[in-house]
Amino acid sequence: MVDSPNAVTADRPLRADAERNRRQILDAAQDAFAERGLEIPLDEIAERAGVGIATLYRRFPSREELVAAAFADKLAEYAEAAERALQSPDAWTGFCGFIEHMCALQAADRGFTDVITLSLSCGEAQACRDRAKDAFADLVRRAQDTGVLRDDFVPEDLLLLFFANAGVVQATSQAAPHAWRRLVAFMLEAFRASHPGPLPAALTPPQAERAMRSIAHDKGVCPPT
């Protein structure tokens, strides 16, 4: 069967003007989210992009889709950084390097500070998260098997660190923009196997997921489930 001239297919490229609008929206969103966080009004992003709000919604029907598209490269970097860390010859170096890299990304971009701590259901964003989650779990097992990471560390503890780092970045970004590095250094020392003191119970995976979904809802990125 031959498609009608007006039929739209999923893999058909956008017209040049539509693609230009999409790129302008994404560029504006990336800058706006980095400066103001994810709660910035979408009409302000449309204004920055030089398009109407209706055009923005045609390209990105929800805030969640816009956020996922705007941070697609950094979410991919999240997964790639975890996978690269697994290739480090030294388990502790790989573990610490990954955490320091991700916390640096948080410090450099206010929007990403939020994105890394919330749940996004968009397919590509979720796929990147799943890759990062699997690689980090392997990184944790490797570091524990070699005796450098405390046995009671769980992958969900990374989310706690991201929460803490987000708060430090927000509170000190103007007065002491490098303060987050001290927090991360303290935490990495606490994660060492040479500091085996007892800890309270860890977050469970369902608790971590609920926390991330709650943040996404509170920031208006996606509806409650």
Side-chain angles (χ1 to χ4, degrees):
M1 186 176 76
V2 178
D3 287 340
S4 71
N6 295 324
V8 177
T9 60
D11 57 356
R12 179 176 298 171
L14 294 172
R15 298 190 320 271
D17 59 338
E19 176 56 32
R20 183 174 59 253
N21 286 341
R22 183 179 187 278
R23 187 65 261 168
Q24 288 173 184
I25 292 167
L26 284 177
D27 288 345
Q30 288 164 354
D31 290 344
F33 290 147
E35 295 168 13
R36 301 265 302 278
L38 301 185
E39 300 95 332
I40 187 170
L42 294 187
D43 55 359
E44 184 172 330
I45 293 175
E47 183 177 354
R48 289 186 183 212
V51 303
I53 190 65
T55 298
L56 185 151
Y57 276 115
R58 275 198 301 274
R59 299 278 74 86
F60 304 99
S62 71
R63 182 181 292 267
E64 182 180 10
E65 290 177 69
L66 178 58
V67 168
F71 289 98
D73 289 347
K74 287 188 176 179
L75 287 170
E77 185 174 351
Y78 180 23
E80 291 161 6
E83 291 165 350
R84 283 196 307 271
L86 278 172
Q87 305 306 313
S88 174
D90 181 80
W92 184 247
T93 298
F95 178 84
C96 293
F98 168 71
I99 288 178
E100 289 167 345
H101 179 68
M102 295 310 303
C103 288
L105 288 181
Q106 280 189 295
D109 186 326
R110 181 172 173 181
F112 191 69
T113 300
D114 294 335
V115 166
I116 201 65
T117 61
L118 54 79
S119 177
L120 294 171
S121 60
C122 297
E124 188 173 347
Q126 188 57 51
C128 288
R129 284 195 180 280
D130 289 344
R131 282 175 55 200
K133 180 179 178 181
D134 291 344
F136 185 67
D138 289 342
L139 197 60
V140 168
R141 283 192 291 270
R142 181 184 180 218
Q144 289 173 334
D145 288 346
T146 55
V148 293
L149 178 64
R150 55 187 304 151
D151 289 338
D152 55 358
F153 184 95
V154 297
E156 289 71 32
D157 288 327
L158 179 64
L159 183 59
L160 287 183
L161 177 55
F162 286 160
F163 286 150
N165 193 49
V168 170
V169 168
Q170 183 175 355
T172 66
S173 60
Q174 298 300 316
H178 301 294
W180 66 271
R181 294 186 182 278
R182 187 169 177 85
L183 168 72
V184 173
F186 271 132
M187 296 308 299
L188 288 175
E189 285 301 312
F191 295 158
R192 285 182 183 273
S194 56
H195 297 285
L199 295 173
L203 279 180
T204 65
Q207 288 172 330
E209 181 63 24
R210 285 199 299 273
M212 295 172 73
R213 288 187 180 279
S214 177
I215 292 173
H217 171 54
D218 290 347
K219 293 184 178 297
V221 174
C222 64
T225 57

